[in-house]
Amino acid sequence: MKLIVIMPAMNVIHTSGIDLAHLRVLDVLLRTCSTVQAARELGLTQSAVSHALRRLREALGDPLFVRVGRKLAPTERVLALRAPLTEALAAVGRVFQSSEAFTPGALKASFRVIAADYAELVVLPRLLAALVSEAPGVDLVTTVVGDAVEDTIQRGEADLALGAFFAERGGLLLRPLFRDPFAVAIAAEHAPGRLTLERYLAARHVLVAPRALPGGVVDNRLASMGRARRVVLRTPCFQTALAIAARTDLIVTAPRSLIAEYAKHAPLVMFTPPLELPEVRFGALFSASRQDDVAHKWLRERVAALFGGSRRRAKE
């Protein structure tokens, strides 16, 4: 089979002996930078992956990956191939998917999902329960990438990002899932009868910043009011913040559904914030190249169907 590979800012290269299996190997290698991990994910032997890499190197006249410690580091040339390769594989997938009826129960796939512990605690339990009964052949791999969420999705290194406060980028699409108001979590032994603004500002706070971004919704709002709070701990993990709040006099402002879920197993009381805060707009971020992918679309729709229901009311 003969393919024509178009590389950005380069001439068209005619390759022989390269098939879709080789391109799939290249796609996985770009993400894992490991022949061992690529072989495991593709269900191949490591020698088969190494053979495919040799054929690709010969066809493209470039080492593609060089050994750096235990990992393979991609060359500039293969990095330039990442975007068109992702688009090409997605297009090929759409061709074959359009000719067959899609059956979730017969799907064998592994989806890579970016999800902070907020999404893991609120979304994953219900989603996995649905997958067990409807698509038992589907596996999920979750990861946290800090402030590199949009870049990771654009590079095709993850299929879906679940969360909030995503930046708008060309080639990225957002599927809204639900809106979640903020609430305040306070240990039961330290909970006041009523949470006023003065009590809120006098307390010591834990700030949760899953994406390691500066500032935050609460502090921005307080600054607009000419007020400030004392943050004694900044952490990327909601569950860490809530665990600390349950055992100390520190308080946490977080999405209400997350506090409600965590409070089922911890001595926390939930209050409505004594200041006006915007709701968290929770959604699923994905690449436009996956928009018409039947399996990917099914997963997005399944997630959307599970959410948007009730939220536990906070104590006034």
Side-chain angles (χ1 to χ4, degrees), residues 137-151:
V138 170
D139 301 324
L140 299 180
V141 179
T142 64
T143 185
V144 178
V145 297
D147 193 29
V149 176
E150 291 83 4
D151 290 339

Side-chain angles (χ1 to χ4, degrees), residues 262-290:
Y262 196 87
K264 294 176 182 178
H265 314 287
L268 289 170
V269 177
M270 187 164 57
F271 292 84
T272 296
L275 68 163
E276 186 176 347
L277 296 173
E279 292 182 317
V280 177
R281 297 186 178 187
F282 194 94
L285 186 75
F286 58 98
S287 171
S289 66
R290 306 299 302 275

Side-chain angles (χ1 to χ4, degrees), residues 16 24 26 30 50 58 65 68 74 91 101 114 121 123 140 151 153 162 189 205-206 216 225 227 231 254 296 311:
S16 59
R24 177 59 177 153
L26 182 58
L30 272 166
S50 296
E58 293 169 1
F65 296 89
V68 177
I114 299 172
L121 188 63
V123 176
L140 299 180
D151 290 339
I153 294 293
L162 298 174
E189 64 177 302
H205 295 253
V206 181
M225 299 164 58
R227 309 297 294 271
V231 174
H296 195 282
R311 294 284 175 267

Side-chain angles (χ1 to χ4, degrees), residues 14-282:
H14 297 270
T15 67
S16 59
I18 300 299
D19 58 24
L20 290 175
H22 289 98
L23 297 185
R24 177 59 177 153
V25 168
L26 182 58
D27 180 54
V28 177
L29 280 174
L30 272 166
R31 177 163 40 81
T32 64
C33 291
S34 167
T35 56
V36 174
Q37 293 182 39
R40 186 181 300 119
E41 181 169 327
L42 293 166
L44 301 172
T45 64
Q46 187 179 356
S47 61
V49 172
S50 296
H51 174 74
L53 180 55
R54 283 196 300 272
R55 295 294 300 120
L56 288 162
R57 283 168 168 165
E58 293 169 1
L60 298 175
D62 186 82
L64 303 182
F65 296 89
V66 294
R67 178 69 59 181
V68 177
R70 295 184 178 182
K71 284 284 188 178
L72 295 174
T75 65
E76 290 298 323
R77 194 172 191 190
V78 76
L79 286 175
L81 265 179
R82 191 197 301 267
L85 177 62
T86 299
E87 294 286 346
L89 290 174
V92 170
R94 289 193 293 271
V95 170
F96 286 99
Q97 289 165 352
S98 63
S99 63
E100 299 179 1
F102 176 72
T103 305
L107 180 62
K108 303 291 183 184
S110 177
F111 292 99
R112 296 152 290 166
V113 181
I114 299 172
D117 58 344
Y118 173 22
E120 289 184 331
L121 188 63
V122 174
V123 176
L124 291 188
R126 292 171 64 183
L127 175 58
L128 286 170
L131 293 180
V132 167
S133 61
E134 299 174 26
V138 170
D139 301 324
L140 299 180
V141 179
T142 64
T143 185
V144 178
V145 297
D147 193 29
V149 176
E150 291 83 4
D151 290 339
T152 303
I153 294 293
Q154 280 185 322
R155 291 195 301 263
E157 296 175 358
D159 300 294
L160 202 65
L162 298 174
F165 306 109
F166 295 123
E168 294 185 6
R169 292 268 190 94
L172 297 181
L173 299 174
L174 178 65
R175 172 65 187 267
L177 295 177
F178 61 85
R179 294 188 178 190
D180 204 1
F182 278 100
V184 180
I186 304 177
E189 64 177 302
H190 298 293
R194 180 169 176 266
L195 183 62
T196 64
L197 179 60
E198 295 309 317
R199 285 174 175 169
Y200 182 80
L201 294 178
R204 301 189 307 154
H205 295 253
V206 181
L207 168 63
V208 184
R211 300 190 57 181
L213 296 173
V217 172
V218 174
D219 295 294
N220 291 341
R221 175 58 180 153
L222 287 174
S224 72
M225 299 164 58
R227 309 297 294 271
R229 61 176 177 165
R230 185 185 174 201
V231 174
V232 299
L233 174 65
R234 182 185 177 102
T235 174
C237 300
F238 283 104
Q239 293 191 67
T240 297
L242 292 172
I244 290 172
R247 293 168 174 80
T248 69
D249 64 344
L250 274 67
I251 71 175
V252 178
T253 305
R256 182 180 295 179
S257 61
L258 175 66
I259 297 176
E261 194 66 34
Y262 196 87
K264 294 176 182 178
H265 314 287
L268 289 170
V269 177
M270 187 164 57
F271 292 84
T272 296
L275 68 163
E276 186 176 347
L277 296 173
E279 292 182 317
V280 177
R281 297 186 178 187
F282 194 94

